[in-house]
Amino acid sequence: MPSVQLRHSAATALYEQVADALRQQIHAGELKPGTAIPPESELTVTFGVSRVTARKALDLLVEEGLIVRRQGKGTFVTGGKIQQDLHALRGFAELMAERGDEQAMEVIEFGVVPADVHVARSLRLEPEASVLRIRRRHILQGAPIAYAIIHVPYDLGRRFTLEEVSTTPIYALLETRASVHVKRATQIIRAVAADQLTARQIDLPRAAPVMMIERVTYSSEDVPVEHIVFFYRGDRYELAIELFRDPTHNVLCPRSSTPEPSPGTNVVEGC
């Protein structure tokens, strides 16, 4: 990367100028998704700034979702933040497929287990009833972006195979393999600190902030068919919703079923 002359007398802070120069290279395609960003030590030479300034510039681009840090590997250009519209009920794999992004699903666990109290209540099952549990993480452009823990009632989940859940969205499997028509879902959104397991799965430091989404999906008969907890990297993912001043035009309605939200939780349900 050739040296860049910054305006030390400008009103714009030096770290913002460094971030802007890198941002322009990303938008111009000079730094493509997956490309490694030079280390801080190299940026200090390129821009003639301190290491603290270089780090602040990178922090800014991480917040914008333009770059991502991978522990022990370096900093890389992303494709920008993934934005999901809350008006539509889509699984994460479906969203990625619609975007045409290069993705992969890595199954970490696939097996039948007894449902804990919370999962059993969410799926309207007897305590310790058998459920299929799937743990998988989503890889986007070679980097982990999300980690999911999925529970499906056994009478539905027994029809899935390991190969299918490694390549196919759960909603598609419910419809094609279990003849379930997905109608609606109840969703709870929280900001949480990543525990050790979650942090390791999405390549973040322990206790790093992540977005957690807990969702219960219902069939056209209003029977719970899936309970899922998703952990997303906050630097790569965001939610979007269009709101109207006139409430008659809003298409979201209050939640009326499990799981119970914690105080201060943002709850969304499709009508």
Side-chain angles (χ1 to χ4, degrees):
M1 180 180 290
S3 60
V4 178
Q5 188 68 38
L6 301 181
R7 304 181 306 277
H8 287 260
S9 60
T12 305
L14 291 179
Y15 79 90
E16 292 179 329
Q17 294 183 52
V18 173
D20 186 56
L22 294 172
R23 188 185 298 111
Q24 289 181 32
Q25 292 182 58
I26 292 171
H27 290 326
E30 297 172 20
L31 292 173
K32 300 183 183 301
T35 302
I37 295 291
E40 293 173 7
S41 58
E42 185 175 330
L43 293 178
T44 60
V45 176
T46 300
F47 293 97
V49 296
S50 68
R51 195 152 189 159
V52 172
T53 297
R55 186 176 303 119
K56 288 182 65 176
L58 295 180
D59 288 343
L60 184 58
L61 296 180
V62 167
E63 291 176 9
E64 295 176 6
L66 292 177
I67 63 174
V68 61
R69 290 188 174 99
R70 300 179 193 168
Q71 285 184 296
K73 298 178 181 178
T75 305
F76 299 83
V77 178
T78 72
K81 282 195 176 184
I82 296 160
Q83 186 177 92
Q84 183 168 4
D85 183 357
L86 287 181
H87 285 100
L89 178 56
R90 295 186 183 90
F92 187 75
E94 292 176 318
L95 176 63
M96 293 298 94
E98 289 176 3
R99 285 168 49 100
D101 289 317
E102 180 184 343
Q103 65 160 325
M105 291 183 287
E106 179 184 343
V107 177
I108 301 162
E109 178 186 5
F110 177 84
V112 177
V113 299
D116 63 28
V117 173
H118 181 63
V119 170
R121 183 172 65 248
S122 298
L123 294 176
R124 299 179 193 163
L125 300 173
E126 294 296 323
E128 298 192 353
S130 293
V131 293
L132 173 66
R133 182 166 68 196
I134 303 163
R135 297 179 189 264
R136 68 184 185 186
R137 65 177 187 166
H138 293 258
I139 312 296
L140 181 64
Q141 297 166 348
I145 186 174
Y147 167 59
I149 305 171
I150 305 164
H151 291 91
V152 177
Y154 176 71
D155 63 334
L156 301 177
R158 64 184 175 84
R159 310 177 197 198
F160 304 166
T161 67
L162 174 60
E163 181 180 0
E164 288 173 334
V165 300
S166 301
T167 58
T168 310
I170 296 298
Y171 287 169
L173 290 177
L174 285 169
E175 292 176 351
T176 60
R177 303 289 289 154
S179 301
V180 170
H181 176 66
V182 173
K183 177 185 177 183
R184 67 180 183 92
T186 295
Q187 188 160 279
I188 294 174
I189 304 169
R190 302 187 184 99
V192 301
D195 60 21
Q196 186 173 1
L197 174 60
T198 301
R200 183 168 66 249
Q201 296 300 339
I202 54 179
D203 200 13
L204 287 174
R206 183 176 181 179
V210 296
M211 184 185 300
M212 190 202 84
I213 295 180
E214 181 179 5
R215 184 169 67 220
V216 178
T217 302
Y218 299 84
S219 70
S220 56
E221 288 78 30
D222 219 36
V223 175
V225 294
E226 178 206 42
H227 175 272
I228 184 170
V229 179
F230 245 118
F231 298 94
Y232 296 93
R233 290 187 61 120
D235 58 351
R236 297 295 318 279
Y237 183 84
E238 62 187 13
L239 298 169
I241 182 171
E242 182 178 11
L243 300 175
F244 294 88
R245 181 70 169 172
D246 179 356
T248 61
H249 292 89
N250 288 320
V251 297
L252 299 183
C253 58
R255 192 187 65 80
S256 59
S257 55
T258 57
E260 290 300 323
S262 301
T265 297
N266 181 15
V267 181
V268 179
E269 178 182 15
C271 297

